[in-house]
Amino acid sequence: MENLRLRRMAAALLRCTLKIAPPYPAEWGRAMLAELQYVEGTWAVVVWSAGSAGFLAKHILFSFLLPGKSERGSSSDTRFFKENPMRKGTLIAATVCLAASLLCLIAPTFREGLSLVVYGWRADRGPQTERWQKLGREAESRGDAATMAYAAMRLPIDQAVPLAQRAVAHDPSLTWVFCFIHSRVFPASADNRTRQLALLSALSNWDPDNAVPYLAIAADTSYQPDAYKDAQWLAAMEHALAAKSYDSYLARRVELERRVDPTSNAGHTLDSLVGYWLQLPSVGTLNRYAGFLQTQGEQAASKNARREAVNRLWSLANLGALMRLHGETGEQEFLGSAMQEIAYSHLQPLLARLGQAQEAQAAGNTAHILAKQFLAMPRNAWDVPFLRATALAVHFLADLELICLLLLASTGTIFALGGRTWRFVRHVFAYVPIVLLVSCVGFLGVSYPYAQAAQALRNNPLDFGAMLPVASLSLGPVLWTNWYLFPKALYLWGTLIALGSVVCVWMALRAFRHRPA
Amino acid sequence: MKLPRMSPQTVRVLERFAERPSAWHYGYELSRETGLRSGTLYPILMRLAEHRILETKWVATEDGVPPRHTYRLTAKGVEVVQELPAKMQPRHAPRRLAHGEGGA
């Protein structure tokens, strides 16, 4: 009884496999099924059936990968060698792949990732100076100072400064915009330095108790080793050390941008990435300044002079604390910590020289603790080379999706118009949906962390930890392009992918033409 | 002429056909004689048929029993079997001379 059951199961397995087998190998499958009843021994039947099913399964798989295999040779039995149109199974599989690809659009992270990529393609159009010029003109005509300031923060510097000055003339409470206009990359020249200082001077007059304008003046954009010896630098640091508050104006900027353009994607634009960046003294310069103060104190003849050096170092430590308390970005917190650690480490020997042993020990211990905290601070949760590589992968997958959709659309049109290139149409309808599905699923996975970062940035536009990955993805085409060869990054990527696709299609067609008869 | 890949299993199958070139063979019979399983035998038969070394035919047996598929060497197949290199015919090839043996 059991033997009979096994035989029936073996036969059923082979019949089921035959049902989905392509016509050509199915004939051989029927031959194997016909032999089954002559096989002696129950287990021999099972082995025969399994071997036959395996043979058919291989051809079933091949039929999906190599659709519409034509006849091979001929024989006296023509049932074995038939012309094979595109199989229904292949069409169904292709439709399923296409539908599954479209289903990816339901995932919010997929849409978010796509929007970042598309933004990058649009951002590659350049700085959009005309757009901001027009916005600034229209805003000025209706006396809208906020929009004028908004546009000024995006224009090239030679247009930004006069527009910002006119905006501030309309509304003096917008004077803080000078902080962001000055901090954009200036061409290095004496005139531009004068313009910077004029803006910062106006800012410091408007907000005299804030350390930020003075720190901006002291910012060593040229990174010269002896910048701290500059009289202007020293004077600016004096004011910064004496300041009672620290306000980087970023919250005001975010509020203004949301007011003027609620749909603006803060953090996605090059202006945000560069414009939110405050010009601050470098850690190296501050360290040399603190060393300079320490040396001054140690070499000072009078106790008062030594006391003055100590007071300056205390003020430096307090300024660092202010930055840590009120800084709005991780970069500012980082600098504040560094400032404190530098100040305390240089205070210790001076205090010891002054005979204040306990204070010296406290300063030294505090410096050690801060050094440990400083080293433990996460600089950047994203490894930059990894960031660049995955952003490149996201863009590649997005481009691949677009190519697949274009191929399907154009092939569908050819098919509807008569489908003269039938083999090409068959191959595209069979292969491309699979590639589309794989690229959509890959895109969903690889872009997921970027989508999460974009969401975090939407909740907090000052989240610099999220801004870096988002900008890396959305500004990828702009940042990666070799401006000399390909002025527009889209042309570069489009060219590479189009060439690659043409090569792949040509190779596949060649392989089919030259496969063995 | 272009030949299929002559694996040892393919040679084994051709040897069976070579013993009775004009006879029709069943699949299971070939499997028993060559010791090859269906998953190995039928791809060989398919390949030989594609290269026109074998011809195939459905043969009706008893009423109510599905017809069986049979195989026979074609004229080209007979030539192929005759022209098989000696080393691919292990049963019929002359014994290899061991080191130190033979010579005039």
Side-chain angles (χ1 to χ4, degrees), chain A residues 397-409:
Chain A
L397 289 167
D399 290 346
L400 197 55
E401 287 164 24
L402 180 63
I403 297 283
C404 288
L405 289 171
L406 288 173
L407 263 176
L408 285 170

Side-chain angles (χ1 to χ4, degrees), chain A residues 144-458:
Chain A
D144 182 356
T147 306
M148 287 168 69
Y150 178 89
M153 286 190 284
R154 284 156 174 76
L155 281 167
I157 205 64
D158 55 341
Q159 298 166 45
V161 171
L163 183 60
Q165 285 170 335
R166 292 198 296 274
V168 170
H170 274 285
D171 182 358
S173 68
L174 291 171
T175 306
W176 55 265
V177 303
F178 289 157
C179 185
F180 296 102
I181 288 173
H182 119 273
S183 67
R184 295 170 66 180
V185 176
F186 274 85
S189 71
D191 284 345
N192 283 332
R193 181 71 180 151
T194 308
R195 234 189 287 184
Q196 265 184 311
L197 290 172
L199 289 172
L200 291 171
S201 177
L203 186 60
S204 58
N205 288 338
W206 175 72
D207 193 2
D209 292 330
N210 189 5
V212 167
Y214 305 110
L215 287 173
I217 293 170
D220 182 14
T221 54
S222 60
Y223 296 98
Q224 290 170 2
D226 54 354
Y228 68 94
K229 292 180 184 172
D230 182 76
Q232 201 169 45
W233 194 96
L234 283 169
M237 278 308 293
E238 286 290 328
H239 283 104
L241 294 178
K244 298 183 183 65
S245 66
Y246 180 91
D247 181 0
S248 59
Y249 309 117
L250 281 173
R252 299 190 205 205
R253 174 169 180 164
V254 169
E255 190 272 332
L256 178 133
E257 293 198 344
R258 281 189 167 159
R259 190 160 31 108
V260 170
D261 183 5
T263 63
S264 71
N265 290 319
H268 292 198
T269 64
L270 192 60
D271 298 291
S272 301
L273 190 64
V274 176
Y276 282 21
W277 210 270
L278 279 185
Q279 294 282 8
L280 295 169
S282 65
V283 171
T285 304
L286 288 170
N287 200 26
R288 283 185 285 274
Y289 174 60
F292 167 70
L293 289 175
Q294 181 189 339
T295 307
Q296 259 193 340
E298 284 171 344
Q299 292 174 353
S302 68
K303 202 173 178 180
N304 281 343
R306 279 201 287 272
R307 175 58 54 189
E308 211 169 296
V310 165
N311 286 342
R312 284 206 177 93
L313 285 169
W314 276 123
S315 299
L316 189 64
N318 285 337
L319 180 59
L322 271 180
M323 284 182 79
R324 289 185 74 178
L325 283 169
H326 301 293
E328 286 156 311
T329 67
E331 180 223 5
Q332 291 168 40
E333 189 185 338
F334 173 82
L335 187 62
S337 293
M339 207 180 274
Q340 279 188 296
E341 191 268 332
I342 288 167
Y344 283 117
S345 62
H346 287 94
L347 259 175
Q348 187 207 5
L350 260 185
L351 288 169
R353 193 78 184 259
L354 284 172
Q356 293 173 292
Q358 269 192 323
E359 287 86 344
Q361 191 176 11
N365 290 339
T366 306
H368 279 124
I369 291 168
L370 286 167
K372 274 189 181 177
Q373 288 177 349
F374 181 71
L375 287 170
M377 275 177 81
R379 303 287 191 270
N380 188 355
W382 296 72
D383 178 66
V384 173
F386 176 76
L387 195 68
R388 286 180 186 159
T390 49
L392 181 67
V394 171
H395 274 278
F396 175 76
L397 289 167
D399 290 346
L400 197 55
E401 287 164 24
L402 180 63
I403 297 283
C404 288
L405 289 171
L406 288 173
L407 263 176
L408 285 170
S410 55
T411 309
T413 308
I414 293 169
F415 178 71
L417 291 175
R420 272 186 300 168
T421 51
W422 175 242
R423 180 175 285 182
F424 170 75
V425 168
R426 213 165 50 207
H427 294 332
V428 167
F429 281 157
Y431 280 110
V432 172
I434 298 171
V435 173
L436 179 64
L437 179 63
V438 167
S439 57
C440 284
V441 170
F443 182 88
L444 187 63
V446 179
S447 68
Y448 180 79
Y450 294 92
Q452 294 287 89
Q455 186 59 46
L457 197 59
R458 194 167 288 116

